Amino acid sequence: MRRQFDDVLLGSIELFCLAAELGSFTAAATAAGVTPAAVSRSVARLEERMGVRLFVRTTRQIRLTDVGRAYFEECQQALTQLIEAERMATGQQVRPIGTLRISVPTTYAHYRLLPWLPEFRERHPEVQLDIHVSNRNVDFSDEGFDLAIRVRTPADSTLIVRHLEDAELVMVATPEYLARRGTPATLDDLNRHECIQFDLPSSGRRIPWLFQDQGKDIDFTGDGGYVLSEDVLGGVTLARHGAGLFQTYRFIVEDDLRSGRLVTVLPAFGGRSRPFSLLYPHSRHVPLRVRSFIDFLVDKVS
């Protein structure tokens, strides 16, 4: 392997990151114990090497360019990995540190993950959490994610898949809706009801409702005046306001069921679930912050 960086260049990268983080050459110089001129020369050295401007400079302040911000984020992550590698090699990595970037769908975020995170931060205060709440599949390498939680596991051999839980599905409606339209007794009865539907944003494919009838799995696609996409929680909101029937995860509506705001429909045909999994890239060295979060999450759902 040919050497790419000398000691001066690595030092320049560290000073650049300090200046970007603190928003000032002077503050970076004070933190590093060097002069502001040394910080300025280091940044100029990097800009000359790459042929790009990293900062917009005025007499009063500095501001990262778009290229500079992207370079800063990559360099910051690389420096953190170097620190962790050194601690691992010397046996000194006794606590997790750094930024943990997580992608999680809206359902699991609001009703599972987000309420648990203060406890994780209480245990590991030096880990900063960057949480991307979206139903969109992410690219680990291009977007810099450490972990993702998903219902449907992508066919990607570069990812490790760790099962979290099988989330039970229930169909619900308000007592007022059922009083108005009647309570279904069979699956065929659903054809005479307002069935709130959800389309996958990635493909436009309608998500079927999952039932069991005498041990046989049945997938049902209903019809009605409401079709949602992007955020499946919209279906729960519609059901809570009496719009119709909706199938969702029990953990989302358990408080509604307990209070009587919603009731289960066709419970005799229940019993199906969907699996949630934790995904992360294959790596010879998994950072301690990632391992600590995996252990924490698995413990919460076990």
Side-chain angles (χ1 to χ4, degrees):
M1 177 179 175
R2 188 167 61 89
R3 190 176 184 189
Q4 299 288 330
F5 302 98
D6 58 24
D7 294 342
V8 173
L9 190 57
L10 285 173
S12 296
I13 292 172
E14 284 189 301
L15 290 177
F16 159 73
C17 286
L18 265 177
E21 183 178 344
L22 300 175
S24 163
F25 285 179
T26 301
T30 301
V34 298
T35 65
V39 176
S40 181
R41 285 195 300 271
S42 294
V43 172
R45 187 179 297 117
L46 294 174
E47 291 177 327
E48 182 178 358
R49 172 185 169 87
M50 296 183 291
V52 298
R53 291 185 68 190
L54 299 174
F55 287 105
V56 176
R57 302 166 177 82
T58 68
T59 55
R60 289 189 168 187
Q61 63 179 1
I62 60 170
R63 177 173 54 83
L64 284 167
T65 63
D66 290 343
V67 171
R69 182 166 300 281
Y71 183 64
F72 166 61
E73 290 172 357
E74 294 294 332
C75 287
Q76 191 178 43
Q77 185 175 351
L79 291 173
T80 299
Q81 288 176 337
L82 285 173
I83 293 169
E84 290 177 346
E86 186 174 275
R87 286 176 173 165
M88 182 189 67
T90 60
Q92 294 176 4
Q93 194 184 24
V94 295
R95 63 185 189 278
I97 63 169
T99 299
L100 187 65
R101 194 150 195 246
I102 309 163
S103 173
V104 57
T106 55
T107 49
Y108 212 82
H110 291 289
Y111 290 91
R112 278 290 200 252
L113 185 65
L114 295 179
W116 295 336
L117 293 184
E119 180 183 345
F120 178 80
R121 284 273 296 140
E122 185 72 23
R123 295 185 193 180
H124 307 294
E126 294 183 82
V127 177
Q128 292 78 45
L129 298 174
D130 182 355
I131 307 150
H132 184 265
V133 180
S134 170
N135 297 312
R136 176 181 66 85
N137 288 330
V138 298
D139 189 303
F140 280 86
S141 58
D142 288 348
E143 299 180 69
F145 283 97
D146 297 297
L147 298 158
I149 296 172
R150 287 291 176 267
V151 178
R152 292 164 185 80
T153 304
D156 188 340
S157 61
T158 67
L159 297 177
I160 295 174
V161 180
R162 186 154 183 179
H163 179 261
L164 288 176
E165 63 176 306
D166 292 312
E168 181 189 355
L169 292 162
V170 292
M171 189 164 63
V172 297
T174 61
E176 294 79 11
Y177 171 83
L178 297 176
R180 188 171 69 249
R181 297 288 297 271
T183 300
T186 68
L187 295 180
D188 286 340
D189 290 344
L190 295 178
N191 294 313
R192 294 183 289 277
H193 276 268
E194 189 73 69
C195 297
I196 302 167
Q197 298 298 303
F198 179 76
D199 290 349
L200 273 177
S202 58
S203 64
R205 184 174 65 87
R206 187 146 300 175
I207 299 299
W209 291 354
L210 307 184
F211 299 102
Q212 276 188 339
D213 186 9
Q214 299 179 349
K216 180 181 178 181
D217 289 347
I218 297 174
D219 293 3
F220 174 86
T221 302
D223 199 8
Y226 301 97
V227 178
L228 297 158
S229 61
E230 296 295 340
D231 189 355
V232 70
L233 291 179
V236 179
T237 301
L238 282 169
R240 283 173 177 155
H241 289 80
L245 308 174
F246 190 62
Q247 188 177 70
T248 186
Y249 301 110
R250 180 176 290 276
F251 66 72
I252 291 177
V253 294
E254 54 191 356
D255 287 344
D256 299 280
L257 296 173
R258 195 177 299 116
S259 69
R261 183 180 184 183
L262 293 172
V263 296
T264 56
V265 178
L266 295 176
F269 297 90
R272 300 281 298 275
S273 63
R274 287 194 174 99
F276 280 90
S277 299
L278 185 63
L279 315 177
Y280 53 100
H282 279 282
S283 175
R284 295 176 64 182
H285 168 56
V286 178
L288 183 56
R289 66 180 182 276
V290 175
R291 285 187 280 124
S292 298
F293 188 82
I294 293 171
D295 292 343
F296 170 81
L297 194 55
V298 169
D299 181 65
K300 293 298 289 186
V301 299
S302 62

